Each structure stands twice: as C-alpha cells, then as structure tokens.
Amino acid sequence: MRTFLILFLKELRSFFLSPLAYVLLALFTFLNGWLFASMVNAMRLRVSARSLIYNLFESGWFWMGFFILFPLITMRLFAEEKKMGTIEGLLTAPVRTSEVVLAKYLATVVVYVIIVLPVFLFFPIFQMVTGEEAAFQSGALWGSALGILLIGFFNVAMGTLASALTSNQLIAAMLTFVFVMLHYFLGFIHNFGIVPGSVWSDSLTYFSTKEHMQSLTEGLIDSRPIVYYLSSSVVLLSLTHHVLESRKWRV
Amino acid sequence: MDAISFEVAKGEIVGFLGPNGAGKSTTLRMLTCFLSASEGTAKVAGFDIYDDSIEVRRRVGYMPENVPLYPDMRVVEYLRFRARIKGLGFRETKRAVSEAMDICSLSEVDKKMISTLSKGYKQRVGLADALVNKPDLLILDEPTNGLDPNQIRQSRELIKRLGERHTILISTHILSEVEMTCGRVIIIDRGEIKASDTPQNLIRRLRKPGAIMLEMSGDAEKAKLKIGGLVGVKEVRQIDGRTDWATFSIATDPHVDVREDIFDLAQKEKWKIRELASRTASLEDAFVDLVQKAPSSQKAGPQEAEKDESNPVESDT
C-alpha cells in the first residue's frame, strides 16, 4: 500500500509537471464548451424531445474528443519507460508489478476525471446564468457522470494494456484509438450491413459504449453496464500485469 | 546463456568481463530479477531470485547499462523517489539521499533537472541510486561506459572506495578497469565462463612470450642473421627499414631476456642503438586470445565454492 501510494503520487506528479495534462484540460474544455454552446443554440432554434444532457452526450462531436483523449493520456505509461529503459530500474526495485500497474492506472484515471470534470460544471453554470429551472435533471446528470467515469475506467485500462504491449508510444496510441472508437461504433453496427434485430447485431450493440450511455443519460441507472465496465477493466489490467511479467516466463 | 555457475563472496569486488554480446547484461538482469533463466537459479544473500524476488531486490543495488533515469525529475527528487520505493522511511530517506549524494559528489547539482546533466553526472546519479538503501550487493552494468578518461578514473576510485562497504559485481569490456579495481575476474564469452581468477594470476597464466623491440643503424641483413643466432631467440622480424635505421621485432622463448646479449653484440659490431625495449603482453592480449578461441575449446568447469558461508551471490543459471 505504501509503495503503491509513492508510485501513484509520482505518476500523478509527472502528469502535472509536463504540459500534457494542462494542454489537454484546456483544449478539451474549450471544445466541449463550444459544443455545449452550439447545442443550446440548436435547441433554441428547433424543439427537441430530448434533454440537453442527452443531446450533448449523444453527439458524435463529444466522442471525437474522447477517441483522442484516451490514447493521449495512456500512451506513455509503460511505452515511455520501456523506451527509456527506466522500466528496468523500476521493476528491479522491491516493488510488485501489480502495484506499478495499479499506480499508473489509477493516476491516469484521476487525470482523466480532472480533464472531463469541467463538462459537468457546464450544466449548473448554465442554470445559474439563465435561471432556467429545467436545464437539467440531477438524475440524468449523475447518470451520465457515472457513465463517463465507467467508460474512463474501461478505456484507461485498455490504454494501459496497449502501452505495456509496445515500447513505441505511437503504436500504443493507435491501438487505444482504434479500440475506443470501435467500442463506441459497435452501436452503429446495423449500419454496416448486419441485419438489425439479428443475433449478431443485438449482441454487438449490447457491448457498445453508445448504447450504455443512452440509458444512463436518461437517468436510468442500470447495474449491467456497471458490472460490465468494472469487470472488463479488471480483465484488461490483469492482462497488463501478465504482459509485464511475461519477460520472466520460463518455458 | 549456457550453463554458467559462479559465486561471489561477501566483500569481494568481482569483474564480469566479456566482449559485447557475451551475455554479461543478461546474467546481471537475471540476478536482479528482471529476467529469468529457463533453467537453474541463483541466490543473493541466501534468498532465491524466484521464490524471494522482493527480498533479493531489497538487498541489491543495480545500475543498468546506460543508466536510464527520468529526465524530467530533479536529482534530489529522483533519489528520494528511489529511496522511498526501496522501502526507506521518510526520515531515513532524507539522510540516506544526502549521504549518497555526498559519496557520489552530487551535492552541487541536487536541484538540477536530470535531463540537463552531463553523462558523467548522470552516471553518478545512477550510482547514488544503486547505493542509496545501502544494499549488500552492488551490481553495476558497464559503469564507466561513455565517460571521458578523467571521469573514468574518478569513477574507478569511487568504486574502489565503495568496495570497502559493499560486495560489488561489475560488468565491463574494458580490461584496464578490471585490472585496477577488481579482486577477481570472471571472463565469459558466448554464454560460457572462460576463466575465473585474480587479474594477476590471469595475466601470469595467459601471458604470451614477450617480444623485444630494437631500433638500430648498421647492416640490417647481417644484424638479422646475427641476432637470430643468439640463444633463446625464436624469430627476428624486420618491421621498418626505410631509413638508415632498421626496426626489428624479436620474439624470444618465454622467461628469457636477450637484451644484454643484443647490447654486447651491438658493441662488438659497432651498431648504434636508439631503442632496445621489452614489450610484455598485457591482459588485453590474454583476453583476446581467450575469447577468440573456438567455442568449448577451453571451458572452465563450475567454480569451486568460496570459503565464505554468507555468500551474497551464488548463481547457477
């Protein structure tokens, strides 16, 4: 636990000592702020049956940012240490590999939360400024926050695995990018020649991030996505652990 | 790596010598629990590298080849981080880090970013990192690689001083380094141990017959014949004779010195001598000889155990 904390703090510091976290925070907030403003504008011009929250998180623009965000915050985790060789010093110190994996993973999740947090401040700020009572329902806001957090757990775990697989940060980034994007677009699978309503279409859609987010943004908190994202994250992290330990496998 | 087996007793400074690609780093990585061997095991301070990996790592200070460090950390920050993950408490860390910085003379760069340090300083940061938790065993992989001659001399001095407190295993391909710092040398090549002995013994055992250099003026052809006729001379080779001065390399039987005979000869024949010197073979020659031989032509068996019971390293990989 003690070692975990030291590694966790070191990892967190290295995010905030480099400009990366600040640049991402600024750009992500700017992009989503713009998106938020244009959503509000669009809803003013045209009546929408859905809430502002639903529309924002349903928007492809919002997810575009996500596809880029995950690769950028996870690609350096292990790939950089492998490239520089510092992984050797790290893993020959008396620390457990699981502690290293968890420390890096959770530090990145914290960074992720800090980067997406402003998006959730938009709604209360909007309400304060306009005095609009029905700007958002708190159930929907908490639901979508939970969704975004779960997706973060899951995708950061994927990024951690990708980073452990290679010493090339670009390859790690591309792996994560494709994975995050595919996982989201599974929700559109019926557009790609698979018959809607078929077993394939239904089961693939069932895994889609888009699908889970829709019910959560309506304030419907389902336990299935919670279990799905958390257990998948655990699987991905244990795979990461095995990848790192594989250098010590004895045939 | 082939089956190699060696022991290092407490307090020894052992040099691990071999050409590039001989398997030095691989062996050291196994000992530091970074890699594993497909067969066999090793014990450090009595702990098995597989069963008690964490305990082994607590007792080993390792400086990997090329000294990888985090470039975006300050020296003191980095050393504190390393000391902390090696299990030192908060108070201990402060003391241990300033002590390690004193030993490695890093005090004047303590607040500098590691990325701005010169190679020599980086090397010392790596060394300070390795010894910060006062490990029983220091494993240094090519500690003087890439340093300038002055820095090499300094780091040798440092390693010698550290030998008073730690058991040290150094890998290198620089022979003079081993000759100066190590009490014992293990030579490996292509994954096999070729020799294990003190540097002095190795030189004695492996030294080739010496050669004598002679530079003289006079009748070169006649001189060649006359010198060739001396007792103990095996071969006379003229290296250079473009000017009035001829240079000869004279091979002799081992342990025979013919310099006095040559001098007498020169007086008799009225030759003028500019140089008459004996060139002895160095450890380097011995090493090149040993390593270039075909594999398995000279294979040392497992080394017999050292007398010391509390062997910090014992490897059988």
Side-chain angles (χ1 to χ4, degrees), chain B residues 21-313:
Chain B
K24 296 175 305 241
S25 296
T26 311
T27 310
L28 297 188
R29 282 177 173 168
M30 287 174 190
L31 284 177
T32 51
C33 311
F34 187 68
L35 292 179
S36 47
S38 48
E39 259 176 67
T41 188
K43 280 199 164 107
V44 177
F47 292 97
D48 189 270
I49 58 167
Y50 298 113
D51 301 339
D52 295 304
S53 157
I54 294 277
E55 289 302 315
V56 169
R57 286 185 261 167
R58 253 188 246 290
R59 284 164 180 79
V60 173
Y62 175 44
M63 184 169 107
E65 202 175 350
N66 301 325
V67 205
L69 304 166
Y70 296 112
D72 53 357
M73 283 178 112
R74 292 173 200 284
V75 171
V76 68
E77 234 171 42
Y78 175 75
L79 290 176
R80 284 202 184 136
F81 165 67
R82 294 292 298 175
R84 299 276 286 144
I85 63 168
K86 285 176 180 181
L88 296 189
F90 194 74
R91 280 244 182 98
E92 275 176 286
T93 295
K94 272 199 142 174
R95 200 172 35 77
V97 166
S98 66
E99 216 177 294
M101 287 201 302
D102 275 349
I103 295 173
C104 302
S105 351
L106 285 166
S107 307
E108 72 244 53
V109 295
D110 62 342
K111 295 260 161 46
K112 274 204 173 177
M113 295 290 264
I114 288 177
S115 57
T116 65
L117 295 181
S118 69
K119 179 107 194 178
Y121 270 120
K122 280 184 190 163
Q123 215 94 6
R124 278 190 258 164
V125 174
L127 199 56
D129 166 18
L131 56 86
V132 73
N133 61 334
K134 301 199 178 60
D136 299 332
L137 173 68
L138 278 179
I139 294 184
L140 312 174
D141 200 352
E142 308 208 348
T144 55
N145 198 1
L147 298 185
D148 68 37
N150 205 13
Q151 292 168 326
I152 290 182
R153 190 169 303 170
Q154 284 170 4
S155 79
R156 265 181 211 148
E157 290 302 312
L158 187 53
I159 289 168
K160 254 192 215 166
R161 254 186 295 140
L162 290 173
E164 293 158 16
R165 271 175 33 187
H166 307 267
T167 307
I168 304 182
L169 185 60
I170 305 177
S171 99
T172 180
H173 53 255
I174 302 162
L175 289 130
S176 51
E177 190 163 304
V178 173
E179 240 175 312
M180 278 178 229
T181 46
C182 301
R184 190 153 65 87
V185 192
I186 296 170
I187 297 183
I188 68 165
D189 181 35
R190 300 188 196 92
E192 284 176 2
I193 291 190
K194 296 278 185 180
S196 164
D197 213 333
T198 62
Q200 291 76 21
N201 279 349
L202 270 184
I203 295 174
R204 204 175 311 141
R205 209 174 84 201
L206 299 164
R207 174 163 291 166
K208 290 190 297 187
I212 286 168
M213 299 296 288
L214 170 68
E215 193 181 355
M216 52 157 281
S217 79
D219 184 349
E221 284 306 312
K222 195 174 151 204
K224 198 173 170 182
L225 274 174
K226 288 257 180 187
I227 296 167
L230 289 174
V231 183
V233 172
K234 279 198 343 209
E235 193 198 353
V236 182
R237 222 157 24 90
Q238 187 170 1
I239 299 170
D240 189 14
R242 279 167 298 178
T243 55
D244 293 343
W245 295 90
T247 311
F248 296 100
S249 164
I250 303 155
T252 63
D253 290 327
H255 316 299
V256 177
D257 197 338
V258 292
R259 279 177 295 178
E260 285 173 41
D261 301 336
I262 291 175
F263 181 75
D264 291 341
L265 199 64
Q267 273 196 323
K268 219 168 71 193
E269 304 283 335
K270 301 260 188 294
W271 298 333
K272 285 184 194 139
I273 292 184
R274 224 159 43 174
E275 187 188 357
L276 178 60
S278 143
R279 297 275 152 87
T280 51
S282 62
L283 184 60
E284 201 156 313
D285 298 322
F287 173 72
V288 168
D289 228 36
L290 199 60
V291 158
Q292 275 174 351
K293 276 182 194 160
S296 80
S297 65
Q298 186 192 352
K299 182 175 174 179
Q303 304 302 311
E304 62 273 30
E306 296 287 329
K307 50 277 149 196
D308 200 325
E309 259 296 80
S310 61
N311 285 341
V313 189

Side-chain angles (χ1 to χ4, degrees), chain A residues 2 88 91 247-248 250, chain B residues 34 36-37 57 62 84:
Chain A
R2 209 192 70 106
E88 207 172 330
L91 294 180
R247 68 180 202 285
K248 292 215 274 185
R250 316 181 81 187
Chain B
F34 187 68
S36 47
R57 286 185 261 167
Y62 175 44
R84 299 276 286 144

